[in-house]
């Protein structure tokens, strides 16, 4: 796992943002500019799950925001980080699940057929519209096909071996479900969060949308 502090100004507050699969800092590096009183740590590229949580201990107020497959990864570290708030966006604790996550055949078909062309197709579905995809192209991650395949394979093996034993038993404070999500379908997200979140809301968004990192802070205090 890679971690980058987008802001590291010794603030009292910390946001730990767990990205989805295939990400780097490019889509998110300017998304937190409006936050003046929080440091920002971005987590991505889950080809391993080493995370030095000691660097988070100095913060008085910590928030986990996790998106897509990052929701499952974040759940492995929630008890160690011990945040005041946990917000999940368009993901569940069950990343490979026919009823509560991404259907198994779709997940493994994606893994088995990764190519430049298929990644572009995935990103179009992720963005949901031609205009959103066009904007995303300018900030898309700079990742190799080999690294994307390695990451997705690692996540599948991790979930197979640690599907529930190591995830937090604490309920998430908020689960945000995009009504237009074509990756984690809204129906599966609803089932996935039926017993695992304090509050669930539906937003009129696709799987990826520009306001993801700040959505809870701006609208759902």
């Amino acid at each position: 796992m890679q971690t980058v502090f987008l802001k590291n100004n010794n603030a009292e507050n910390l946001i730990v943002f767990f990205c989805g699969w295939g990400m780097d800092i490019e889509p998110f590096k300017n998304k937190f500019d409006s936050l003046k009183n929080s440091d920002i740590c971005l987590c991505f590229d889950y080809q391993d799950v080493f995370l030095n949580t000691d660097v988070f201990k100095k913060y008085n107020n910590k928030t986990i925001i996790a998106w897509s497959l990052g929701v499952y990864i974040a759940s492995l570290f929630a008890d160690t980080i011990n945040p005041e708030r946990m917000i999940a966006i368009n993901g569940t604790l069950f990343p490979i699940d026919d009823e509560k996550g991404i259907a198994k055949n779709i997940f493994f078909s994606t893994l088995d057929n990764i190519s430049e062309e298929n990644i572009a197709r995935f990103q179009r579905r992720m963005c949901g519209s031609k205009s959103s995809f066009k904007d995303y192209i300018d900030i898309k991650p700079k990742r190799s096909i080999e690294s994307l395949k390695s990451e997705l394979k690692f996540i599948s093996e991790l979930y197979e071996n640690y599907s529930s034993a190591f995830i937090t038993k604490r309920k998430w404070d908020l689960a945000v479900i995009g009504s237009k999500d074509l990756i984690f379908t809204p129906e599966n997200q609803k089932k996935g969060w039926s017993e695992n979140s304090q509050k669930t809301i539906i937003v009129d968004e696709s799987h990826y949308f520009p306001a993801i990192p700040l959505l809870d802070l701006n609208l759902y205090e």
Side-chain angles (χ1 to χ4, degrees), residues 39 43 83 146 148 178 202:
D39 286 350
C43 303
E146 292 75 16
L148 297 181
I202 311 295

Side-chain angles (χ1 to χ4, degrees), residues 25-156:
I25 69 170
E26 293 298 320
F28 304 105
K29 61 184 180 183
N30 297 318
K31 300 297 186 183
F32 298 92
D33 290 349
S34 63
L35 293 184
K36 306 301 181 184
N37 300 313
S38 296
D39 286 350
I40 313 294
C41 182
L42 211 67
C43 303
F44 58 96
D45 193 2
Y46 310 119
Q47 298 185 64
D48 62 63
V49 281
F50 174 76
L51 177 62
N52 181 14
T53 58
D54 288 343
V55 299
F56 304 150
K57 291 181 178 179
K58 67 178 182 179
Y59 292 95
N60 295 326
N61 188 339
K62 299 183 286 288
T63 298
I64 285 177
I65 305 176
W67 167 57
S68 190
L69 288 175
V71 173
Y72 168 65
I73 301 297
S75 72
L76 302 175
F77 295 96
D79 291 339
T80 304
I81 297 173
N82 191 27
E84 279 63 43
R85 294 189 301 172
M86 300 197 304
I87 296 95
I89 303 172
N90 284 340
T92 71
L93 305 178
F94 314 93
I96 312 171
D97 190 286
D98 290 341
E99 294 187 351
K100 297 180 180 181
I102 298 173
K104 294 178 182 178
N105 65 320
I106 294 176
F107 186 99
F108 288 106
S109 176
T110 302
L111 175 60
D112 293 340
N113 296 285
I114 288 179
S115 66
E116 293 284 358
E117 183 178 2
N118 287 337
I119 289 298
R121 287 198 187 99
F122 173 83
Q123 291 172 340
R124 283 195 293 269
R125 286 175 57 80
M126 180 182 78
C127 293
S129 69
K130 289 183 179 180
S131 60
S132 179
F133 177 61
K134 184 179 179 180
D135 293 339
Y136 179 78
I137 289 298
D138 294 332
I139 56 171
K140 72 177 183 178
K142 299 175 181 177
R143 295 276 304 274
S144 70
I145 293 297
E146 292 75 16
S147 74
L148 297 181
K149 186 168 186 175
S150 176
E151 181 183 5
L152 201 60
K153 186 173 186 293
F154 180 82
I155 292 171
S156 70

